[in-house]
Amino acid sequence: NAAYPADLQVRKDENPAKDFLQTQSFPAQNIESIARTGSLTNACIENDCEPTTVSRLLSGLEKELGMDLLNRNKKPVQLSY
């Protein structure tokens, strides 16, 4: 994972994505809202933010982590982990 040094071992009970979100400026409440509402648009209405901005931040975070945080192929959108 890009979020951790290469020599750090991640145990099976750890969640690197959750840990990363808690330490970064990306608002975790946006991901929680997306998962709860099943929609990026509805989550942004709830959190008073722009969907395009959150989408770009989320894509960048997923790229940095090397994993998808959301399953966008299902409607409603669901957490992938």
Side-chain angles (χ1 to χ4, degrees), residues 19-74:
D19 296 343
F20 183 83
L21 289 173
Q22 291 174 345
T23 61
Q24 299 300 310
S25 61
F26 184 81
Q29 72 267 13
N30 286 326
I31 293 178
E32 184 276 328
S33 294
I34 294 167
R36 188 171 29 76
T37 64
S39 162
L40 180 88
T41 301
N42 290 338
C44 287
I45 290 169
E46 229 179 56
N47 291 307
D48 192 31
C49 57
E50 291 295 322
T52 54
T53 302
V54 172
S55 180
R56 271 186 299 213
L57 288 170
L58 185 58
S59 293
L61 178 58
E62 289 175 322
K63 184 176 181 179
E64 188 170 338
L65 289 170
M67 62 187 284
D68 291 335
L69 298 175
L70 298 172
N71 183 348
R72 296 170 182 80
N73 296 325
K74 292 187 178 183

